[in-house]
Amino acid sequence: MLDRVKACLPALAPAEQRVGKLVLADPRAFATLPVAELADRAHVSKPTVVRFCRSLGYDGLSDFKLKLAGSVNEGVPFIHRSVDADDRPAEVMVKVIDNTVAAFLKYRNDASTVAIERASEALVSAGRQQRRIEFYGVGNSGIVAQDAQHKFFRLGVHTAACSDGHMQVMSASLLGPGDCVVVISNSGRTRDLMDACDIARRKGATTIVITASGSPLAAQGQIHLAADHPEGYDRYSPMVSRLLHLAIIDVLATCVALRIGSDTLQPVLQDMKNSLRSKRYT
């Protein structure tokens, strides 16, 4: 809707353009404020606010506000606003957070629960059999791999994280049936990760890939958790894909924790807490 408003601005009367600029400046406020205050903020009459909404093809102000509220608050995946060089901090905060939430909600709506179920089962099975579980990633994905190791350690599940390409290839060569490897990549085109995934699969390990649909890595994994967020490479592009990958790891770790059960998990967490507390104060 915001793109539509921006595209229609040049064709509107000057007074209606002021209403459109008010929408673009603060869509959430526009969706909640009464017509009198909207008119006052835009320095136009109340009928002008209504004419603006009808000029864009809506039945009136109520129809426009209803759909704007739904788009901003519930349908965030349909909104993407790029950060501009002249944005103020308040505008940057809104845009970056909105785009991040949009990526999360798009994943929530599009994610394959079957794939998540299969990945959780594979991780639980490897953990129960005390087989190897490894997380591979490079760059920002390497940070996600380290975070995944931390989360699974808290569940009492022994894991390893590798962010060096040579180590990934060597480590994958030591895997076998019953082991599990999670390969994380936004582009799915990193040569070392693709090689490590291929080696792990040929060795009989279960390969779970967190990457974009249609990427070379997606085709190599036995279980694909599609994370479709194209990363921009201009200087104002936030690194949303890493946050999305962290959220997916959170989903997997939570599913595994539920399978383990609180009776088994609680003593492990308490023992870790006691050990850390003892180390901290000595």
Side-chain angles (χ1 to χ4, degrees):
M1 284 186 71
L2 296 176
D3 286 343
R4 182 178 177 183
V5 170
K6 188 180 294 185
C8 291
L9 276 183
L12 299 177
E16 294 174 9
Q17 287 183 12
R18 290 200 291 272
V19 180
K21 291 176 181 178
L22 182 64
V23 175
L24 296 173
D26 195 346
R28 284 185 173 80
F30 194 99
T32 58
L33 293 175
V35 64
E37 187 165 350
L38 292 174
D40 184 61
R41 290 191 178 193
H43 305 293
V44 299
S45 66
K46 289 187 283 187
T48 300
V49 177
V50 178
R51 280 200 306 272
F52 162 80
C53 298
R54 288 177 176 164
S55 296
L56 268 68
Y58 297 92
D59 293 337
L61 178 60
S62 296
D63 182 42
F64 181 84
K65 287 173 65 176
L66 179 64
K67 290 174 180 175
L68 180 63
S71 182
V72 172
N73 297 323
E74 298 173 11
V76 178
F78 305 108
I79 292 180
H80 179 83
R81 291 184 289 165
S82 298
V83 176
D84 299 316
D86 57 350
D87 280 345
R88 294 168 296 178
E91 295 168 325
V92 171
M93 181 181 71
V94 170
K95 289 182 178 181
V96 170
I97 293 176
D98 278 2
N99 291 338
T100 302
V101 172
F104 281 15
L105 291 181
K106 184 178 187 304
Y107 176 75
R108 183 199 65 184
N109 295 337
D110 297 345
S112 167
T113 54
V114 174
I116 293 172
E117 180 76 17
R118 290 179 60 204
S120 302
E121 287 178 354
L123 291 166
V124 170
S125 176
R128 285 176 175 166
Q129 298 177 48
Q130 296 187 339
R131 302 295 303 182
R132 295 175 63 180
I133 298 177
E134 301 189 349
F135 296 91
Y136 299 163
V138 296
N140 288 306
S141 298
I143 298 173
V144 179
Q146 295 288 341
D147 179 78
Q149 181 187 33
H150 172 77
K151 285 186 171 68
F152 277 79
F153 257 89
R154 290 185 69 248
L155 303 180
V157 179
H158 297 282
T159 62
C162 294
S163 57
D164 176 82
H166 289 85
M167 285 295 296
Q168 290 162 358
V169 169
M170 289 190 292
S171 188
S173 301
L174 301 176
L175 297 175
D179 294 330
C180 191
V181 61
V182 181
V183 186
I184 308 158
S185 173
N186 186 52
S187 68
R189 298 181 183 278
T190 304
R191 184 75 259 169
D192 287 339
L193 288 176
M194 292 168 59
D195 288 344
C197 184
D198 180 60
I199 292 169
R201 186 180 59 183
R202 287 192 282 109
K203 289 291 185 177
T206 300
T207 54
I208 302 168
V209 295
I210 301 175
T211 188
S213 299
S215 70
L217 182 61
Q220 287 190 341
Q222 293 167 302
I223 303 172
H224 177 213
L225 302 181
D228 296 316
H229 181 80
E231 198 71 83
Y233 293 98
D234 61 86
R235 71 182 67 185
Y236 307 122
S237 178
M239 301 298 291
V240 175
S241 63
R242 187 175 77 184
L243 296 176
L244 179 58
H245 293 163
L246 288 169
I248 295 172
I249 292 296
D250 267 354
V251 171
L252 290 177
T254 303
C255 289
V256 170
L258 291 172
R259 300 284 182 96
I260 293 174
S262 58
D263 292 343
T264 302
L265 184 56
Q266 199 61 37
V268 173
L269 293 175
Q270 189 61 50
D271 186 49
M272 285 185 180
K273 187 174 182 180
N274 292 338
S275 297
L276 288 171
R277 184 184 292 115
S278 174
K279 180 178 178 60
R280 189 176 296 127
Y281 292 114
T282 53

